Amino acid sequence: MIANPTAGSGGSARLEAVVDRLRDLGCSVKLHATEASGDAEQFVRNIDCSDIDAIVAAGGDGTVNEVLNGLPEDGPPLAILPLGTVNVLAREIALSRSIDSIAATIAFGPSRPVTIGEVNGRRFAMMASVGLDAKVVDNVSLGLKRYVGKWAYILETFRQIIPSTQSLYRVRIGDTEQKAHGVIIANGRHYGGDYVTSPAACLEKPALDVCRLTRPGRLAVFSYLTSLFLGRFAKRADVHIEEATDFKIIGPAGSPVQLDGDVLCRLPASVRVLPAAINLIYPASSEDGNPRPS
């Protein structure tokens, strides 16, 4: 278990409770607490996976992303213990917040091969984007985030909208090139929590959903946000969604690219899909039940 114990409010206590429950279920748990950015990825790269049944990413989206980027191709299945401000992957697989349920999922849940995305060689689990949201992530105050959680992103969004002008991007898929004022790449339905950008996006689909926002201006930004909050984002005439497996995003050089909630690379961006790249542990369905150790 690779854990960021500082993620979210009460993360350390929640982490200890899940570890205790796993040991009650008969699991042997090796816990590694991260201390700095990049620590989780490096630790996963260096561990001997030969006697490990699963690797658990305990934290927020950033911790999951680091572990994902450290996993070898033939590595053990990945499980999730949500601790951070938001854990979008946990929401996508309908992982309960219950301590007992999370422990049972880690110990007994079935694993499935899932698709992941890659931008400029960096993997992402759920989403990548360029545009306003990437600029917000690039400039949000980490100190404020620790105190107010996701509200820090909302405050930074308003700070970005008022003085700035929107950049123009080009999405090149095969021989076609389309313009956009923002691009969201969806590997699953959820975005930033419970919001949905592309209802057809799926972790088990061997393609990514590319959402182009084509309407410019500050009023358009507010309109897009309102549609997102109301669950109508994908129905807009100025949101164009298509599947792709290998494409490029071109725009102002050095513009931030957000992957799973952190800016991890810059434009220009080469994006590709990695079908069935890892095995992810899902909650057991109610009809299957949770087996118990003998």
Side-chain angles (χ1 to χ4, degrees):
M1 182 177 290
I2 295 90
N4 177 6
T6 64
S9 176
S12 182
R14 185 173 177 80
L15 172 64
E16 291 179 11
V18 172
V19 171
D20 288 344
R21 182 62 180 136
L22 284 168
R23 287 172 175 156
D24 290 342
L25 293 171
C27 299
S28 173
V29 182
K30 298 177 182 179
L31 180 64
H32 175 79
T34 62
E35 298 178 355
S37 177
D39 192 21
E41 180 177 347
Q42 193 59 44
F43 181 76
V44 176
R45 289 186 185 279
N46 292 336
I47 61 175
D48 179 6
C49 295
S50 60
D51 64 344
I52 295 173
D53 297 308
I55 290 180
V56 183
D61 294 319
T63 303
V64 172
N65 185 274
E66 284 197 23
V67 172
L68 179 68
N69 277 277
L71 275 175
E73 290 185 6
D74 57 348
L78 173 65
I80 308 298
L81 196 179
L83 299 177
T85 306
V86 177
N87 193 308
V88 183
L89 182 57
R91 281 174 166 82
E92 185 73 15
I93 64 173
L95 182 63
S96 169
R97 293 287 296 175
S98 158
I99 298 296
D100 286 348
S101 181
I102 290 172
T105 295
I106 293 170
F108 309 117
S111 68
R112 306 178 197 171
V114 298
T115 290
I116 57 176
E118 185 182 82
V119 182
N120 292 354
R122 183 80 190 181
R123 295 174 170 184
F124 66 92
M126 285 297 301
M127 57 189 169
S129 66
V130 299
L132 176 67
D133 59 346
K135 294 176 183 178
V136 168
V137 171
D138 200 27
N139 290 279
V140 72
S141 167
L142 296 181
L144 186 62
K145 179 183 173 183
R146 292 189 186 97
Y147 283 106
V148 300
K150 63 183 180 181
W151 285 99
Y153 294 100
I154 296 173
L155 293 172
E156 182 61 29
T157 297
F158 283 102
R159 199 181 74 85
Q160 288 289 328
I161 290 173
I162 294 170
S164 65
T165 57
Q166 286 178 283
S167 300
L168 182 64
Y169 307 98
R170 290 174 289 144
V171 180
R172 186 177 297 163
I173 302 175
D175 295 330
T176 66
E177 187 173 283
Q178 304 288 344
K179 295 179 180 179
H181 292 279
V183 183
I184 298 172
I185 306 162
N187 190 37
R189 297 175 66 250
H190 290 86
Y191 170 90
D194 294 322
Y195 308 115
V196 174
T197 53
S198 181
C202 175
L203 287 168
E204 297 175 37
K205 183 171 68 174
L208 302 169
D209 281 17
V210 185
C211 311
R212 290 186 298 110
L213 286 62
T214 59
R215 182 180 166 194
R218 293 182 181 88
L219 290 178
V221 172
F222 284 108
S223 182
Y224 282 127
L225 291 173
T226 301
S227 298
L228 187 64
F229 296 152
L230 295 176
R232 301 172 182 171
F233 182 82
K235 298 178 181 179
R236 296 178 61 103
D238 51 10
V239 173
H240 301 270
I241 303 175
E242 60 182 309
E243 291 184 5
T245 59
D246 193 337
F247 58 99
K248 296 184 183 297
I249 303 176
I250 304 162
S255 295
V257 183
Q258 174 266 139
L259 282 69
D260 290 333
D262 289 303
V263 171
L264 300 175
C265 53
R266 305 274 169 174
L267 290 183
S270 296
V271 187
R272 66 174 182 145
V273 70
L274 304 175
I278 66 164
N279 289 308
L280 181 65
I281 295 177
Y282 278 70
S285 61
S286 58
E287 60 268 23
D288 292 337
N290 289 318
R292 295 292 182 262
S294 57

